[in-house]
Amino acid sequence: MILNKKTILAVFFLLFFVLTFVIIDIKGVNGKGKNEDTETRAVYISYIEFDSYIKDKDSATSKENIIKMLENAKNMGFNTVIVHVRPFADSIYESEYYPISSTVLNDMGNIPDYDILEFFITEAHKRELKIEAWVNPFRISNLTDLSKIPIDSPYYEYVKTNDAKVIDGVGIYLNPASSRVREFIVKGIEEIVENYDVDGIHFDDYFYPDKTIDLESYSEYVEDGGLLSLEEYRLNQVTMLIQDVYEAIKKINKEVLFGIAPEGNIENNYEDNYLDVKEIISKSGYVDYIMPQIYFGFENQYKPFMDTLNFWNSLIGTDTIQLIPALAFYKSGLQDSYAGVGINEWIENDDIIKRQVLISRNTNHYGGFSLFRYDYLFNENKSNNNIEKEILNLKEILPT
């Protein structure tokens, strides 16, 4: 059969388009075809890292360690660090509202002679890394010893009132149902955004510490004619804080992001933490991104990764909010005792994180991923064979 020119051209263009889609699909598989330039690739640097690299160190050593952390993050292919600036109603910078964090006291047990947050920001930006300030809004201490609370802290008087409580077996927490506490937290966020060139403010999943801290507040609410149930009341308290923080940030600098990393198990957010995640990601005005802690493997019997990821993606009701799943790098090479039949998945596989990133990139609200946490990637004392292989596999799909 002799083909005419039109037929030949039609076949040519058909082959061209088929090959184009094949190439696109291959890029999607190897991870280099979707949002490589715009996705967030974040790693958490927690107060636990501070204990190892900053606390009890002289200034020169702690600065060297900070630079090394940032260099490691950059060389791995990350573009964002989430730094714990307030783990316990304290700060790693000079604050009008919070005492200096014990996790960054120097080798003499004194306040460092340099601004740790400012140094983090300057050195991160030199390396084209974004930096988000990670805040635990309500936690004062994991201990219950009131004598450990700094007398000169502005919230010291709170523990003598309904604004803060000592919770046996849990610690000392600010009361989420206190309007004075909410205003205090917002002022602390404003202080960071006004004084430091951070790229974002980040809350994790610590909201309500237990089911007793606000009972006095709720009784007063009901006596004043309030009609919400206790559960609705608690959800509303956290939602009001989130909205107030978001509005405060945007009033100062619209470019600074605000995001939250709730538990990956959505039921726990409602039943324990009282975070109304469906409300805050259904529309604009609360957060810029949601970073659910999807710390589950593909074989998890109760919360398999793909189902959980897709569920979170389906809850987002606006294109103004991005989905940035937090992934459990810390589980590599270890048993997952809460995974049911998937208990050994993280031992039997060494490419879980890579596969989770690739799959996440296909969700329509995808904005990136984060890994918890720094030491499990870069501290040889935490390493194991699976971690080493997970790192090599992950590097295959990250920019170099």
Side-chain angles (χ1 to χ4, degrees):
M1 181 176 65
I2 300 175
L3 301 177
N4 58 36
K5 289 183 178 180
K6 289 184 177 180
T7 303
I8 292 172
L9 285 173
V11 171
F12 172 79
F13 283 113
L14 177 61
L15 287 172
F16 173 79
F17 283 114
V18 169
L19 287 172
T20 299
F21 284 117
V22 168
I23 291 170
I24 290 172
D25 185 61
I26 290 173
K27 285 183 177 181
V29 170
N30 68 28
K32 297 180 180 178
K34 183 175 181 181
N35 298 329
E36 183 181 274
D37 297 327
T38 60
E39 73 176 353
T40 294
R41 298 182 296 277
V43 60
Y44 280 95
I45 298 177
S46 80
Y47 76 91
I48 302 174
E49 274 80 28
F50 296 166
D51 284 341
S52 300
Y53 306 116
I54 299 178
K55 186 176 181 179
D56 299 331
K57 306 290 190 297
D58 60 68
S59 294
T61 303
S62 61
K63 285 181 177 181
E64 289 174 4
N65 288 343
I66 290 171
I67 289 173
K68 182 65 174 176
M69 284 192 281
L70 297 173
E71 288 283 356
N72 284 340
K74 178 69 175 181
N75 293 337
M76 179 71 188
F78 294 106
N79 58 20
T80 304
V81 289
I82 302 173
V83 178
H84 221 164
V85 305
R86 182 168 305 124
F88 299 102
D90 51 12
S91 67
I92 66 169
Y93 56 92
E94 186 175 346
S95 172
E96 179 183 350
Y97 306 105
Y98 295 93
I100 195 73
S101 176
S102 63
T103 64
V104 295
L105 295 180
N106 66 17
D107 56 330
M108 303 299 291
N110 297 322
I111 296 173
D113 60 4
Y114 71 102
D115 188 318
I116 292 176
L117 178 55
E118 185 61 43
F119 189 78
F120 254 114
I121 293 169
T122 300
E123 296 300 321
H125 287 168
K126 279 182 184 178
R127 292 160 178 79
E128 298 183 328
L129 289 167
K130 293 182 178 180
I131 179 167
E132 298 203 6
W134 171 12
V135 171
N136 290 109
F138 296 113
R139 184 172 63 185
I140 295 176
S141 175
N142 282 336
L143 305 175
T144 56
D145 185 355
L146 288 174
S147 67
K148 301 296 184 181
I149 297 178
I151 297 175
D152 58 349
S153 63
Y155 61 81
Y156 178 75
E157 62 186 85
Y158 289 18
V159 298
K160 303 174 185 177
T161 70
N162 184 45
D163 293 322
K165 298 287 185 183
V166 177
I167 305 170
D168 290 339
V170 178
I172 307 171
Y173 277 76
L174 295 167
N175 179 3
S178 164
S179 60
R180 182 165 73 148
V181 165
R182 187 164 63 249
E183 292 169 5
F184 173 70
I185 292 170
V186 171
K187 286 179 181 178
I189 299 300
E190 290 173 335
E191 181 181 52
I192 297 173
V193 180
E194 287 173 344
N195 297 335
Y196 294 93
D197 187 22
V198 295
D199 298 288
I201 298 292
H202 182 87
F203 283 2
D204 57 23
D205 59 330
Y206 284 98
F207 291 100
Y208 262 77
D210 80 335
K211 299 180 185 296
T212 67
I213 192 168
D214 66 345
L215 292 180
E216 185 177 334
S217 300
Y218 181 68
S219 293
E220 293 174 358
Y221 165 78
V222 172
E223 289 173 4
D224 290 338
L227 300 177
L228 294 177
S229 69
L230 180 58
E231 290 73 19
E232 292 169 335
Y233 173 80
R234 289 171 170 166
L235 291 168
N236 190 52
Q237 300 307 307
V238 176
T239 298
M240 285 193 295
L241 172 67
I242 291 169
Q243 188 170 35
D244 288 350
V245 168
Y246 180 87
E247 291 175 354
I249 292 170
K250 300 304 179 181
K251 186 176 181 179
I252 298 167
N253 187 343
K254 292 182 180 179
E255 299 302 313
V256 174
L257 301 179
F258 179 43
I260 296 177
E263 286 196 49
N265 185 332
I266 195 166
E267 291 84 0
N268 289 349
N269 293 297
Y270 282 91
E271 296 171 7
D272 298 323
N273 303 314
Y274 296 99
L275 173 63
D276 191 352
V277 289
K278 294 178 182 178
E279 170 65 19
I280 67 171
I281 63 177
S282 66
K283 53 182 175 290
S284 302
Y286 295 111
V287 295
D288 296 297
Y289 68 82
I290 196 73
M291 191 178 285
Q293 299 172 30
I294 309 182
Y295 294 163
F296 313 117
F298 294 99
E299 300 171 17
N300 187 292
Q301 183 175 346
Y302 312 106
K303 293 289 178 181
F305 177 80
M306 289 186 63
D307 290 349
T308 307
L309 174 74
N310 289 330
F311 181 66
W312 277 98
N313 185 66
S314 71
L315 294 179
I316 299 176
T318 171
D319 290 337
T320 64
I321 297 175
Q322 292 189 321
L323 174 65
I324 306 176
L327 308 177
F329 199 91
Y330 68 94
K331 288 188 176 182
S332 301
L334 303 176
Q335 278 194 339
D336 190 355
S337 56
Y338 296 102
V341 296
I343 186 172
N344 291 318
E345 179 182 5
W346 295 85
I347 296 175
E348 297 169 350
N349 297 273
D350 55 31
D351 64 346
I352 295 175
I353 299 298
K354 173 186 174 180
R355 287 186 285 136
Q356 289 184 341
V357 171
L358 290 175
I359 289 169
S360 298
R361 284 175 174 170
N362 289 318
T363 55
N364 64 307
H365 291 292
Y366 178 76
F369 68 92
S370 71
L371 300 185
F372 190 85
R373 56 182 167 82
Y374 175 90
D375 260 356
Y376 288 91
L377 286 113
F378 303 111
N379 186 337
E380 62 182 14
N381 294 323
K382 296 284 186 183
S383 189
N384 57 52
N385 288 335
N386 283 63
I387 283 179
E388 293 175 2
K389 292 176 182 177
E390 284 278 4
I391 289 173
L392 291 175
N393 285 320
L394 181 60
K395 281 184 175 180
E396 293 178 358
I397 61 169
L398 299 183
T400 55

